[in-house]
Amino acid sequence: MTVVERREVALVDLLDRLLAGGVVITGDITLRIADVDLVRIDLNALISSVNAQVPAPWGSRHE
């Protein structure tokens, strides 16, 4: 049996790793009363860093 080393990661390091590769967040929320759907919210989000190698999808604002 081996012991796995416990590593603590700072929040800043974790965010840096996630943004370097990108994060996709998806979810569904439904507000329902008496089996009647009143409100439904669908969430689809892509969070990523933007730099010279990965340009912004909306293009440059320089004219």
Side-chain angles (χ1 to χ4, degrees):
M1 181 180 219
T2 61
V3 177
V4 177
E5 181 181 334
R6 182 177 175 177
R7 292 178 59 183
E8 292 185 21
V9 178
L11 181 59
V12 173
D13 294 333
L14 180 61
L15 286 175
D16 185 47
R17 289 180 191 176
L18 290 175
L19 290 177
V23 178
V24 176
I25 300 172
T26 61
D28 298 321
I29 298 174
T30 304
L31 178 61
R32 172 183 282 191
I33 296 178
D35 290 332
V36 176
D37 293 346
L38 299 177
V39 177
R40 180 176 175 154
I41 300 172
D42 294 328
L43 171 68
N44 296 310
L46 170 65
I47 301 172
S48 178
S49 62
V50 177
N51 57 31
Q53 289 80 27
V54 183
W58 51 84
S60 176
R61 292 187 180 216
H62 301 293
E63 295 180 19

